Amino acid sequence: MAAPIIAQAVEPTIAAYTIDSDKSTRDLKQSLSSSESLASFDEKNPFSDPKIAAHWRQVYEDSQYESRSAFDPDFQWTAAEEKKLVRKLDWRVCLFACVAFFALQVDRGNLAQAVSDNFLSDLSLSTNDYNNGNTIFKVSFLLAEIPSQLISKRLGPDRWIPMQMVAWSIVAASQAALSGKTSFYICRVLIGALEGGFIPDLVLWLSYFYTGKELPIRLAFFWTALDGTQIITSIMAFGLLHLRGVHGLAGWRWLFLIEGIITFSIGIAAFFSMPASAVATKTKFRPNGWFTEREVKIVVNRVLRNDPTKGDMHNRQAITPKRLYQALADYDMWPIYALGLICFIPISTPATYLTLSLRQLGFSTVRSRDSAIRVRFETNLLVIPSTAVAICNLLLLTWVSERLNERMLIALIQDLCPESTNPVPRHRSKSRSSETSTGLSLALLVMIVGVICIDASTKRSALFEIGPHG
């Protein structure tokens, strides 16, 4: 997946540590152009300048930033302490984020396993109905993105994410009672609407604990969980589809029911596993918290020194219409939005229709019950190799992007790869040629938009940069 790399491609530099949210911030940036301010500027600690420290302390007080009590411009710690703390964060924060993402992918991806069974024929659905269901889900997911994020910013991701998970898991499990096209479409709408915004909400929560430099590899782990989920659920599907006939239910009904229950359990656990911030890990059910007092200060101050603007709003503060308009009017970000709409087309299309394509390749032609079970197993099992390669590809590209300090160009490489592995029958030469041409055209379109994004990123960095950066 290109997402973890693209997400970092246009991130403002550390030295750009302000946004034009108010006049005082703009005035401060202008004052920093003086040689005196630049002389006292510390790349690793922008608060080493007393004027900057005083400004941001006031910003944090005015915004009622939840971790302002731990803010200390003069606080120091060792590299060994930070390394040990990051390992603890990976265990406590990043790992649960991956588990939560597993829950998301289970319920939004199990339809592909269901169609390897007799899902379509049992509900008298055609492949066009299946296509429409996927489209309905995607549109609902897209339309729910911004509203979900606005709710998350008002309630806090630590509250909203568990609520989302519990809500969509109930609908997902209810798919076991599908009776036809109408109920199928209704469930697709509800699941898409409830899952929309989950990914940026979870990334927002991660940003409370990690610096901008640390996020790319964590987001790579995050997206690896998606591919890992496909492997796990493919194996699970084999066992669950064996339940066809148990209590008179089809295998795909058991698939939806049991996997929905699994997600529901993770959603309940999320209420107790997601602290609001580094200073809020101590609760009634977690009396000792996650961190010592010194570790709390390290977490808070290292994040703020990396990006002071993370404290200009508190984690229960709603986005005002003015701020929303400013974000939408930021035309340098428009290419990124366009890229988000198209970058997954070359990748997601083969993944969505892989099980159906495998059946068309001849894996559904056998008749006996034992052979049919074997076929369902093979159809799901054959999804695993491409997923395993995708995991290796993701981690490798992320590592390369970190080594070269280049995000966008590295991310765009993988959009050309799916076209060489498209599982369309080879004997359909005309169809194959046409689909490959279409896929390559889409990949090239992604690359063109990516180049525009690089140009926007360069201009943005030049506009805001006021000092050296790593």
Side-chain angles (χ1 to χ4, degrees):
M1 293 289 180
I5 304 175
I6 292 175
Q8 298 297 319
V10 294
E11 184 179 25
T13 61
I14 295 175
Y17 51 81
T18 59
I19 58 174
D20 288 332
S21 58
D22 54 54
K23 185 176 184 300
S24 63
T25 303
R26 293 194 297 270
D27 292 343
L28 179 66
K29 286 199 299 184
Q30 293 174 0
S31 70
L32 288 175
S33 61
S34 68
S35 59
E36 179 183 356
S37 295
L38 288 175
S40 63
F41 176 78
D42 185 333
E43 178 188 352
K44 294 184 178 180
N45 183 8
F47 305 121
S48 59
D49 186 320
K51 293 181 181 179
I52 297 176
H55 168 80
W56 284 106
R57 186 182 295 280
Q58 188 60 47
V59 169
Y60 300 152
E61 287 294 334
D62 292 343
S63 67
Q64 295 296 293
Y65 172 52
E66 66 277 1
S67 300
R68 64 190 183 280
S69 61
F71 173 61
D72 185 349
D74 301 318
F75 183 68
Q76 300 293 326
W77 61 89
T78 66
E81 284 181 300
E82 185 168 4
K83 183 177 180 180
K84 180 180 178 181
L85 180 59
V86 170
R87 286 199 299 266
K88 181 182 285 189
L89 288 171
D90 289 340
W91 180 254
R92 298 283 191 177
V93 178
C94 185
L95 179 60
F96 184 79
C98 292
V99 172
F101 204 15
F102 166 84
L104 172 73
Q105 187 57 26
V106 165
D107 286 335
R108 75 172 180 172
N110 56 11
L111 183 61
Q113 277 96 37
V115 296
S116 71
D117 194 27
N118 297 329
F119 175 79
L120 296 181
S121 59
D122 287 349
L123 295 179
S124 300
L125 299 177
S126 66
T127 53
N128 285 334
D129 296 329
Y130 175 67
N131 294 340
N132 291 336
N134 280 314
T135 301
I136 289 171
F137 169 83
K138 296 292 186 183
V139 171
S140 300
F141 192 93
L142 178 63
L143 293 178
E145 288 277 3
I146 293 180
S148 175
Q149 292 169 60
L150 294 177
I151 295 172
S152 176
K153 198 64 187 71
R154 178 63 182 88
L155 299 180
D158 56 298
R159 294 175 178 175
W160 177 237
I161 289 174
M163 293 168 63
Q164 279 183 287
M165 296 173 68
V166 169
W168 88 56
S169 66
I170 293 174
V171 179
S174 300
Q175 291 179 110
L178 290 177
S179 58
K181 188 188 330 185
T182 301
S183 57
F184 171 59
Y185 287 167
I186 291 174
C187 283
R188 289 290 95 191
V189 170
L190 292 176
I191 292 176
L194 292 170
E195 290 182 348
F198 172 84
I199 296 174
D201 292 342
L202 198 54
V203 173
L204 172 64
W205 183 67
L206 285 172
S207 71
Y208 294 163
F209 302 93
Y210 290 104
T211 66
K213 187 176 180 180
E214 294 165 345
L215 275 178
I217 190 63
R218 271 76 192 178
L219 293 179
F221 295 149
F222 184 71
W223 287 95
T224 296
L226 181 148
D227 293 324
T229 300
Q230 292 178 340
I231 294 176
I232 294 171
T233 54
S234 294
I235 297 173
M236 288 175 58
F238 165 60
L240 294 174
L241 294 179
H242 268 82
L243 296 176
R244 170 171 283 273
V246 176
H247 296 293
L249 297 179
W252 59 266
R253 295 187 188 275
W254 284 109
L255 180 76
F256 286 135
L257 178 62
I258 294 176
E259 291 188 347
I261 292 173
I262 292 173
T263 303
F264 180 83
S265 301
I266 296 174
I268 295 297
F271 282 104
F272 306 97
S273 303
M274 297 183 67
S277 66
V279 299
T281 62
K282 291 184 178 182
T283 62
K284 292 181 180 179
F285 52 85
R286 196 168 47 234
N288 296 324
W290 288 354
F291 312 113
T292 64
E293 184 176 346
R294 179 173 176 80
E295 287 175 333
V296 168
K297 294 189 71 173
I298 295 175
V299 173
V300 172
N301 285 280
R302 73 192 201 95
V303 167
L304 291 178
R305 290 177 191 183
N306 175 251
D307 183 0
T309 64
K310 287 185 177 180
D312 65 0
M313 295 181 70
H314 65 77
N315 61 357
R316 301 280 191 263
Q317 183 176 348
I319 300 292
T320 63
K322 180 181 178 181
R323 280 182 177 265
L324 182 59
Y325 172 77
Q326 288 175 338
L328 294 175
D330 186 356
Y331 55 83
D332 283 334
M333 295 299 293
W334 291 355
I336 293 293
Y337 303 150
L339 190 61
L341 290 173
I342 64 176
C343 69
F344 291 116
I345 294 177
I347 299 172
S348 63
T349 303
T352 302
Y353 294 96
L354 183 55
T355 51
L356 282 177
S357 297
L358 290 170
R359 289 181 65 117
Q360 292 176 358
L361 284 170
F363 291 94
S364 60
T365 57
V366 291
R367 298 290 184 181
S368 69
R369 175 177 173 80
D370 291 340
S371 297
I373 291 174
R374 178 178 60 81
V375 164
R376 286 196 293 272
F377 171 63
E378 290 178 348
T379 301
N380 287 286
L381 185 64
L382 287 173
V383 175
I384 295 177
S386 63
T387 304
V389 171
I391 292 175
C392 297
N393 182 46
L394 170 61
L395 295 176
L396 175 62
L397 288 178
T398 304
W399 179 81
V400 171
S401 75
E402 286 295 292
R403 295 283 294 182
L404 301 179
N405 195 29
E406 174 58 59
R407 306 286 188 262
M408 190 64 66
L409 289 177
I410 300 299
L412 295 176
I413 293 174
Q414 53 194 341
D415 281 315
L416 291 173
C417 298
E419 304 317 313
S420 63
T421 57
N422 194 336
V424 176
R426 298 285 176 174
H427 62 273
R428 299 179 184 174
S429 57
K430 278 191 176 180
S431 174
R432 174 68 183 176
S433 175
S434 174
E435 292 175 9
T436 301
S437 176
T438 301
L440 289 174
S441 298
L442 288 169
L444 290 174
L445 177 60
V446 171
M447 297 187 73
I448 290 172
V449 177
V451 171
I452 297 174
C453 290
I454 294 173
D455 181 64
S457 174
T458 303
K459 291 179 179 178
R460 193 179 189 87
S461 296
L463 174 65
F464 286 112
E465 190 172 283
I466 59 171
H469 61 279

